[in-house]
Amino acid sequence: MGVQIVCRHSDPVWHPACSVSTKSGLGGEARFRLRQAMQDMSRSGTAGELRLDALIADLWWRVRLINTDILEEEAKAGVFDASQPTYPLLALNLRARRDNLVSTIGVLEQRARSMSEAA
């Protein structure tokens, strides 16, 4: 028989125990240990916390990139005051996007804190 990957998790997170290739003739005890390891990992919540932390870090990186883009647009136009009528439209749009990302990050950080306190 062929090789199959055993995973009964409904979430798309990578689980180390799920990446074990097994032959279909895997013994009952080994199957039990594999299933137990997968259940322990899904209950721990650490995978979700790690994903959330990675998402937050990625969003902060994007905020820094947008800040750089805003500064470049302001420098090109020679206008640094957003209230000026000659302020670049792209910089205004980037500011709005950055502000939305920062707001989203705040919500995600609050969720991460509540997850860590609950654990």
Side-chain angles (χ1 to χ4, degrees):
M1 295 198 140
V3 175
Q4 70 186 57
I5 303 296
V6 178
C7 182
R8 300 199 192 294
H9 288 91
S10 59
D11 60 341
V13 176
W14 176 78
H15 301 97
C18 300
S19 66
V20 176
S21 295
T22 60
K23 299 220 185 253
S24 57
L26 189 64
E29 183 180 341
R31 241 187 323 228
F32 173 77
R33 280 185 286 157
L34 181 62
R35 187 176 302 127
Q36 188 67 36
M38 288 188 295
Q39 288 173 349
D40 290 344
M41 289 182 71
S42 66
R43 283 189 203 122
S44 70
T46 55
E49 289 175 27
L50 290 175
R51 275 192 310 194
L52 191 54
D53 289 343
L55 176 61
I56 291 169
D58 182 63
L59 291 176
W60 276 123
W61 175 73
R62 291 175 190 276
V63 166
R64 287 191 299 273
L65 286 177
I66 291 172
N67 281 336
T68 303
D69 292 342
I70 291 169
L71 290 173
E72 286 178 9
E73 286 300 312
E74 291 174 340
K76 269 196 256 181
V79 180
F80 298 92
D81 183 7
S83 64
Q84 294 293 319
T86 55
Y87 191 79
L89 185 58
L90 179 57
L92 279 174
N93 290 334
L94 288 170
R95 281 175 172 257
R97 183 172 184 196
R98 179 201 55 202
D99 295 344
N100 286 337
L101 282 176
V102 170
S103 175
T104 300
I105 291 168
V107 171
L108 292 174
E109 286 176 336
Q110 187 177 16
R111 182 177 292 174
R113 278 192 299 275
S114 67
M115 283 176 62
S116 65
E117 289 171 0

